[in-house]
Amino acid sequence: MNDIDPSQSFNGRVALVTGGASGIGRGCAEAFVARGGRAALFDLNGDAAASVAAEIGDAAEGFGGDVTSSEDLVAAVSQIEAQYGSVDVLVCAAGVGGDTLRTAEVTDQEWRRVFAVNCDGVFYANRAVIPGMVDRGYGRIVNIASIAGKEGNPQATAYSASKAAVIGMTKSIGKDLVGTGVLVSSVAPAVIRTPLLDQLTEEHVEYMLEKIPLRRAGSVEEVANLVCYLGSEALSFSTGACFDISGGRATY
């Protein structure tokens, strides 16, 4: 902790992380705790969330719930606020990659499944934490989007569209909350080594890697470091923006 900029310390702060049991969500939860904060890991697999929280330590707790259910998110936020007094930081990391399909092959069910998690879930989580953050005059929201939301990946229409929606949603919510003390950001990673890659074909992954000028996948730790900045008091003059972490694939 001595090496951490005090403005990026999370002492006394509580972070709610959706998709907290694995991948980027878990990495962010670990990073928040390492910086002195408390992390509430919300995940569809409640047992996994509880197990990961136990591994992280006493400053982490697991919560089971479905991001596609606004009721589950409202209940979790209410419980966390009752236990710890606030939700100061929200990280929306829950997501699905979707099946690798050409557009004409995407069924109604697949389209809705991907949007339910990647788009609806982000909206429900943002909406659930905003009233408390506004009442307290402070909050940081970080929505995990994707490079696919900027550029569109072939055979990933539902995923690309849902992540573009996250970017647009973040811009709108950030402007809605100007003057409240709540700042909202999104992050657009390229290929990151997480379990989400297991949902994609090798061909799909190789296509994405070939597009990255730095010629490698990113790490969870690299994404978590950016998220920690965006979720900290150090962020003060940005809201609604999408931050690139794509190895140079997109610089806009």
Side-chain angles (χ1 to χ4, degrees), residues 166-190:
V166 170
I167 295 171
M169 186 191 313
T170 299
K171 293 178 181 181
S172 179
I173 295 173
K175 292 174 182 177
D176 275 348
L177 297 178
V178 164
T180 66
V182 183
L183 302 179
V184 189
S185 307
S186 62
V187 173

Side-chain angles (χ1 to χ4, degrees), residues 43-119:
D43 202 277
L44 184 62
N45 188 333
D47 290 340
S51 177
V52 169
E55 292 177 21
I56 293 174
D58 293 340
E61 183 173 356
F63 293 83
D66 187 347
V67 294
T68 69
S69 166
S70 60
E71 292 84 0
D72 283 5
L73 282 160
V74 168
V77 170
S78 296
Q79 183 177 346
I80 295 163
E81 290 179 333
Q83 286 183 220
Y84 305 117
S86 64
V87 174
D88 305 296
V89 183
L90 169 68
V91 178
C92 289
V96 293
D99 294 337
T100 301
L101 298 167
R102 295 193 179 280
T103 303
E105 300 168 342
V106 178
T107 64
D108 293 357
Q109 293 75 17
E110 174 65 3
W111 179 265
R112 283 307 321 151
R113 180 180 76 90
V114 174
F115 261 81
V117 177
N118 293 354
C119 181

Side-chain angles (χ1 to χ4, degrees), residues 14 35 65 81 95 117 123 155 171 176 206 208 213 218 222 225 229:
V14 179
R35 289 163 170 77
E81 290 179 333
V117 177
F123 173 73
Q155 300 185 63
K171 293 178 181 181
D176 275 348
E206 285 303 315
M208 294 188 293
E222 288 170 319
N225 285 335
Y229 166 70

Side-chain angles (χ1 to χ4, degrees), residues 4 19 94 104 184 197 244:
I4 295 174
V184 189
L197 290 188
D244 176 71

Side-chain angles (χ1 to χ4, degrees), residues 115-203:
F115 261 81
V117 177
N118 293 354
C119 181
D120 298 351
V122 171
F123 173 73
Y124 293 153
N126 278 236
R127 187 177 63 183
V129 301
I130 285 170
M133 288 182 173
V134 170
D135 285 347
R136 291 184 293 273
Y138 179 87
R140 298 289 184 267
I141 297 173
V142 186
N143 298 320
I144 306 300
S146 169
I147 188 66
K150 289 185 173 184
E151 300 203 334
N153 286 340
Q155 300 185 63
T157 307
Y159 180 78
S160 299
S162 67
K163 292 301 187 176
V166 170
I167 295 171
M169 186 191 313
T170 299
K171 293 178 181 181
S172 179
I173 295 173
K175 292 174 182 177
D176 275 348
L177 297 178
V178 164
T180 66
V182 183
L183 302 179
V184 189
S185 307
S186 62
V187 173
V191 184
I192 307 296
R193 289 296 174 191
T194 72
L196 187 65
L197 290 188
D198 296 337
Q199 301 179 28
L200 306 177
T201 64
E202 184 177 344
E203 178 186 14

